[in-house]
Every structure is written in structure tokens, then in C-alpha cells.
Amino acid sequence: MANKDYSVKQEQVARFAKAMGHPARIAILQFLAKQTQCYFGDIHEELPIAKATVSQHLKELKEAGLIQGEVETPKVKYCINREKWRLAKALFAEFFEDCACKRESCCK
């Protein structure tokens, strides 16, 4: 079987898509996008899920680079990583624009 190498852009789009692949993560991103900064407790109060689950979702988003966190003992502060946010926006726009078929349906 041949080894298929993917481009850096393809890998980055896939990483962002995976990180955004859960409704709770989308809710977290939407919440954080409206804030200049936010503490873990604020996020937990916003979402109807357990603290441990919120922590796991934040970890995924942070590993993908979409958010950043900073410890301010005893709290952790989160915000959108604006640089990665702009990159994700550009990559997804390019991905969805890249369609040869410009009609409503190409299957007709």
C-alpha cells in the first residue's frame, strides 16, 4: 500500500476540524469569542456539563491551538488564540471555496 503524504494545510484543517468536532467545543468557542478573557468557572457555569468534561474539551481546543490558557493561581484564565483563529478561518474559507462545481447541484 502506498504511503500518502498530506499537505501541512490538509493536516491543519483536519486538526482544527477534529478539535471542533463536538457541540460542547463549539459552544465553548462561541462563548470565548465574545469575551476578552474568561475563567474556567465562567465556562463551566455557561455549559450544562460536568467540570471534568469541560476540562477535557478545553484541553482538546488548547492542543489544537484554538484557545490559550494561563494560570492565575488559583484560577485558570482562557481566551481565543486570535492568530490560530484567523488561520482556521482562512483555511476553512479556502477549503469550502475550493469546489469546481458552482451550480446548486453538480449531480444533475
Coordinates of all heavy atoms in Angstrom, one line a residue, residues 22-74:
H22 N -17.2 18.6 18.3 CA -18.2 18.3 19.4 C -19.0 19.5 19.7 O -18.4 20.6 19.8 CB -17.4 17.8 20.6 CG -18.3 17.2 21.6 ND1 -19.2 18.0 22.4 CD2 -18.6 15.9 22.0 CE1 -19.9 17.2 23.2 NE2 -19.5 15.9 23.0
P23 N -20.3 19.4 19.8 CA -21.1 20.6 20.1 C -20.7 21.4 21.3 O -20.8 22.6 21.3 CB -22.5 20.1 20.2 CG -22.5 18.7 19.6 CD -21.1 18.2 19.7
A24 N -20.2 20.7 22.3 CA -19.7 21.5 23.5 C -18.5 22.3 23.2 O -18.4 23.4 23.7 CB -19.4 20.5 24.7
R25 N -17.6 21.9 22.3 CA -16.5 22.7 22.0 C -16.9 23.9 21.1 O -16.3 24.9 21.3 CB -15.4 21.8 21.2 CG -14.9 20.7 22.2 CD -13.8 19.9 21.5 NE -13.7 18.6 22.2 CZ -13.4 17.5 21.6 NH1 -13.2 17.4 20.3 NH2 -13.4 16.4 22.3
I26 N -17.9 23.7 20.3 CA -18.4 24.8 19.5 C -19.0 25.8 20.5 O -18.7 27.0 20.3 CB -19.4 24.4 18.5 CG1 -18.8 23.4 17.4 CG2 -20.1 25.6 17.8 CD1 -17.7 24.1 16.6
A27 N -19.7 25.4 21.5 CA -20.3 26.3 22.5 C -19.2 27.0 23.2 O -19.3 28.2 23.5 CB -21.2 25.5 23.4
I28 N -18.2 26.3 23.6 CA -17.1 26.9 24.3 C -16.4 28.0 23.5 O -16.2 29.1 23.9 CB -16.0 25.9 24.8 CG1 -16.6 25.0 25.9 CG2 -14.7 26.6 25.2 CD1 -15.7 23.8 26.2
L29 N -16.1 27.7 22.2 CA -15.5 28.7 21.3 C -16.4 29.9 21.1 O -15.9 31.0 21.1 CB -15.2 28.0 19.9 CG -14.1 27.0 19.9 CD1 -14.0 26.3 18.6 CD2 -12.7 27.7 20.2
Q30 N -17.7 29.6 20.9 CA -18.6 30.8 20.7 C -18.7 31.6 22.0 O -18.7 32.9 21.9 CB -20.0 30.3 20.4 CG -20.1 29.7 19.0 CD -21.5 29.1 18.7 OE1 -22.1 28.4 19.5 NE2 -22.0 29.3 17.5
F31 N -18.7 31.0 23.1 CA -18.7 31.8 24.4 C -17.4 32.6 24.5 O -17.4 33.8 24.8 CB -18.8 30.8 25.6 CG -18.8 31.5 26.9 CD1 -19.9 32.3 27.3 CD2 -17.7 31.3 27.8 CE1 -19.9 32.9 28.6 CE2 -17.7 31.9 29.0 CZ -18.8 32.7 29.4
L32 N -16.2 31.9 24.3 CA -15.0 32.6 24.5 C -14.8 33.7 23.4 O -14.1 34.7 23.7 CB -13.8 31.6 24.4 CG -13.6 30.7 25.6 CD1 -12.5 29.7 25.3 CD2 -13.4 31.5 26.8
A33 N -15.3 33.5 22.2 CA -15.2 34.5 21.2 C -15.8 35.8 21.5 O -15.5 36.9 21.0 CB -15.7 34.0 19.8
K34 N -16.8 35.8 22.4 CA -17.5 37.0 22.9 C -16.9 37.7 24.1 O -17.3 38.7 24.6 CB -18.9 36.7 23.2 CG -19.7 36.2 21.9 CD -21.1 35.8 22.3 CE -21.8 35.2 21.0 NZ -22.9 34.4 21.3
Q35 N -15.8 37.1 24.6 CA -15.1 37.5 25.8 C -13.7 38.0 25.5 O -13.1 37.5 24.6 CB -15.0 36.4 26.9 CG -16.2 35.5 27.0 CD -17.4 36.3 27.6 OE1 -17.3 37.1 28.5 NE2 -18.6 36.0 27.1
T36 N -13.2 38.9 26.3 CA -11.8 39.3 26.2 C -10.9 38.2 26.9 O -9.8 37.9 26.6 CB -11.5 40.7 26.7 OG1 -11.9 40.8 28.0 CG2 -12.1 41.7 25.8
Q37 N -11.5 37.7 28.0 CA -10.8 36.7 28.8 C -11.9 36.0 29.7 O -13.0 36.6 29.9 CB -9.7 37.2 29.7 CG -10.1 38.1 30.8 CD -8.9 38.6 31.5 OE1 -7.8 38.5 31.1 NE2 -9.2 39.2 32.7
C38 N -11.7 34.8 30.1 CA -12.7 34.1 30.8 C -12.0 33.1 31.7 O -11.0 32.5 31.4 CB -13.6 33.4 29.8 SG -14.9 32.5 30.5
Y39 N -12.6 32.9 32.9 CA -12.1 31.9 33.8 C -12.9 30.6 33.7 O -14.0 30.6 33.3 CB -12.2 32.4 35.3 CG -11.2 33.5 35.5 CD1 -11.6 34.9 35.4 CD2 -9.9 33.3 35.7 CE1 -10.7 35.9 35.6 CE2 -9.0 34.3 35.9 CZ -9.4 35.6 35.8 OH -8.5 36.7 36.0
F40 N -12.2 29.5 34.1 CA -12.8 28.2 33.9 C -14.2 28.1 34.5 O -15.1 27.6 33.9 CB -11.9 27.1 34.6 CG -12.5 25.8 34.7 CD1 -12.4 24.9 33.6 CD2 -13.1 25.3 35.8 CE1 -13.0 23.7 33.6 CE2 -13.7 24.1 35.9 CZ -13.7 23.3 34.8
G41 N -14.4 28.7 35.7 CA -15.7 28.7 36.4 C -16.8 29.3 35.5 O -17.9 28.9 35.5
D42 N -16.4 30.4 34.8 CA -17.4 31.0 33.9 C -17.8 30.1 32.8 O -19.0 30.1 32.5 CB -16.8 32.3 33.3 CG -16.3 33.3 34.3 OD1 -16.9 33.4 35.4 OD2 -15.4 34.1 34.0
I43 N -16.9 29.4 32.3 CA -17.2 28.4 31.2 C -18.1 27.3 31.7 O -19.1 26.9 31.1 CB -15.9 27.9 30.5 CG1 -15.1 29.0 29.9 CG2 -16.2 26.8 29.5 CD1 -13.7 28.6 29.6
H44 N -17.7 26.8 32.9 CA -18.5 25.7 33.5 C -19.9 26.1 33.8 O -20.8 25.4 33.6 CB -17.8 25.2 34.8 CG -18.6 24.2 35.5 ND1 -19.3 24.5 36.6 CD2 -18.8 22.9 35.2 CE1 -19.9 23.4 37.0 NE2 -19.7 22.4 36.2
E45 N -20.1 27.4 34.2 CA -21.4 27.9 34.5 C -22.2 28.0 33.3 O -23.5 27.9 33.3 CB -21.3 29.2 35.3 CG -20.9 29.1 36.7 CD -20.7 30.4 37.4 OE1 -21.2 31.4 36.9 OE2 -20.0 30.4 38.5
E46 N -21.6 28.3 32.2 CA -22.3 28.5 30.9 C -22.8 27.2 30.2 O -23.8 27.2 29.6 CB -21.3 29.2 29.9 CG -21.9 29.6 28.6 CD -22.9 30.7 28.6 OE1 -22.9 31.5 29.7 OE2 -23.6 30.9 27.7
L47 N -22.1 26.1 30.5 CA -22.4 24.8 29.9 C -23.0 23.8 30.9 O -22.5 23.7 32.0 CB -21.1 24.2 29.2 CG -20.5 25.0 28.1 CD1 -19.2 24.4 27.7 CD2 -21.4 25.1 26.9
P48 N -24.0 23.1 30.4 CA -24.6 22.1 31.3 C -23.9 20.8 31.4 O -24.6 19.7 31.3 CB -26.0 22.0 30.7 CG -25.8 22.2 29.2 CD -24.7 23.2 29.1
I49 N -22.6 20.8 31.6 CA -21.9 19.6 31.7 C -20.9 19.6 32.9 O -20.6 20.7 33.4 CB -21.1 19.3 30.3 CG1 -20.2 20.5 29.9 CG2 -22.0 18.9 29.2 CD1 -19.4 20.2 28.7
A50 N -20.4 18.4 33.2 CA -19.5 18.3 34.4 C -18.2 19.0 34.2 O -17.7 19.2 33.1 CB -19.3 16.8 34.7
K51 N -17.6 19.5 35.3 CA -16.3 20.2 35.3 C -15.3 19.4 34.6 O -14.5 19.9 33.8 CB -15.9 20.6 36.7 CG -16.6 21.7 37.3 CD -16.0 22.1 38.6 CE -16.7 23.3 39.2 NZ -16.2 23.7 40.5
A52 N -15.2 18.1 34.9 CA -14.2 17.2 34.2 C -14.4 17.2 32.7 O -13.4 17.1 32.0 CB -14.3 15.8 34.8
T53 N -15.6 17.2 32.3 CA -15.9 17.2 30.8 C -15.5 18.5 30.2 O -14.9 18.5 29.1 CB -17.4 16.9 30.6 OG1 -17.7 15.6 31.3 CG2 -17.7 16.7 29.1
V54 N -15.8 19.6 30.9 CA -15.4 20.9 30.4 C -13.9 20.9 30.3 O -13.3 21.4 29.2 CB -15.9 22.0 31.3 CG1 -15.3 23.4 30.9 CG2 -17.4 22.1 31.3
S55 N -13.2 20.4 31.3 CA -11.7 20.4 31.2 C -11.2 19.6 30.0 O -10.2 20.0 29.4 CB -11.2 19.8 32.5 OG -11.4 20.6 33.6
Q56 N -11.8 18.5 29.8 CA -11.4 17.7 28.6 C -11.6 18.4 27.3 O -10.7 18.4 26.4 CB -12.1 16.3 28.6 CG -11.6 15.4 27.5 CD -10.1 15.0 27.7 OE1 -9.6 14.8 28.8 NE2 -9.4 14.9 26.6
H57 N -12.7 19.1 27.1 CA -13.0 19.8 25.9 C -12.0 21.0 25.8 O -11.5 21.3 24.7 CB -14.4 20.3 25.9 CG -15.4 19.3 25.7 ND1 -15.3 18.4 24.6 CD2 -16.5 18.9 26.4 CE1 -16.4 17.5 24.7 NE2 -17.1 17.8 25.7
L58 N -11.7 21.7 26.9 CA -10.7 22.8 26.9 C -9.4 22.3 26.5 O -8.6 23.0 25.7 CB -10.7 23.5 28.2 CG -11.9 24.3 28.6 CD1 -11.9 24.7 30.1 CD2 -12.0 25.6 27.7
K59 N -9.0 21.1 27.0 CA -7.7 20.5 26.6 C -7.6 20.3 25.1 O -6.6 20.6 24.5 CB -7.5 19.2 27.4 CG -6.2 18.5 27.1 CD -6.1 17.2 27.9 CE -4.8 16.5 27.5 NZ -4.9 15.1 27.7
E60 N -8.6 19.7 24.5 CA -8.6 19.5 23.1 C -8.5 20.8 22.3 O -7.7 20.9 21.3 CB -9.9 18.8 22.6 CG -10.0 17.3 22.9 CD -9.0 16.5 22.1 OE1 -8.8 16.8 20.9 OE2 -8.5 15.5 22.6
L61 N -9.2 21.8 22.7 CA -9.2 23.1 22.0 C -7.8 23.7 22.2 O -7.3 24.3 21.2 CB -10.3 24.0 22.5 CG -11.7 23.6 22.1 CD1 -12.8 24.4 22.9 CD2 -12.0 23.7 20.6
K62 N -7.3 23.6 23.3 CA -5.9 24.2 23.6 C -4.9 23.5 22.8 O -4.0 24.1 22.2 CB -5.6 24.1 25.1 CG -4.5 25.0 25.5 CD -4.3 25.1 27.0 CE -3.1 25.9 27.3 NZ -2.8 25.9 28.8
E63 N -4.9 22.1 22.7 CA -3.9 21.4 22.0 C -4.0 21.7 20.5 O -3.0 21.7 19.8 CB -4.1 19.9 22.2 CG -3.7 19.4 23.6 CD -3.9 17.9 23.8 OE1 -4.5 17.2 23.0 OE2 -3.6 17.5 24.9
A64 N -5.2 22.0 20.0 CA -5.3 22.4 18.6 C -4.9 23.8 18.4 O -4.7 24.3 17.2 CB -6.7 22.2 18.1
G65 N -4.7 24.6 19.5 CA -4.2 26.0 19.4 C -5.3 27.0 19.2 O -5.0 28.2 19.1
L66 N -6.6 26.5 19.2 CA -7.7 27.5 19.0 C -7.9 28.4 20.3 O -8.5 29.5 20.1 CB -9.0 26.7 18.7 CG -8.9 26.1 17.3 CD1 -10.1 25.1 17.1 CD2 -9.0 27.1 16.2
I67 N -7.5 27.9 21.4 CA -7.6 28.7 22.6 C -6.3 28.7 23.4 O -5.4 27.9 23.1 CB -8.8 28.2 23.6 CG1 -8.5 26.9 24.2 CG2 -10.1 28.3 22.9 CD1 -9.4 26.4 25.3
Q68 N -6.1 29.6 24.3 CA -5.0 29.6 25.1 C -5.4 29.8 26.6 O -6.5 30.4 26.8 CB -4.0 30.7 24.7 CG -4.5 31.9 24.1 CD -3.5 32.9 23.5 OE1 -2.5 32.4 22.9 NE2 -3.8 34.1 23.7
G69 N -4.6 29.2 27.5 CA -5.0 29.3 28.9 C -3.8 29.8 29.7 O -2.6 29.5 29.3
E70 N -4.0 30.4 30.8 CA -3.0 31.0 31.6 C -3.4 30.8 33.1 O -4.5 31.1 33.4 CB -2.9 32.5 31.3 CG -1.7 33.2 31.9 CD -1.7 34.6 31.5 OE1 -1.6 34.9 30.3 OE2 -1.8 35.5 32.4
V71 N -2.5 30.3 33.8 CA -2.8 30.0 35.3 C -2.6 31.3 36.0 O -1.6 32.0 35.9 CB -1.8 29.0 35.8 CG1 -2.1 28.8 37.3 CG2 -2.0 27.6 35.1
E72 N -3.6 31.7 36.7 CA -3.6 32.8 37.7 C -4.1 32.3 39.0 O -5.2 32.3 39.3 CB -4.5 34.0 37.2 CG -4.0 34.8 36.1 CD -4.8 36.0 35.8 OE1 -5.9 36.2 36.4 OE2 -4.5 36.7 34.8
T73 N -3.1 31.7 39.7 CA -3.4 30.9 40.9 C -4.5 31.6 41.7 O -4.4 32.8 42.0 CB -2.2 30.7 41.7 OG1 -1.2 30.1 40.9 CG2 -2.4 29.8 42.9
P74 N -5.5 31.0 42.1 CA -5.9 29.6 42.0 C -6.7 29.3 40.7 O -7.3 28.2 40.6 CB -6.6 29.2 43.3 CG -7.4 30.5 43.5 CD -6.5 31.6 43.0

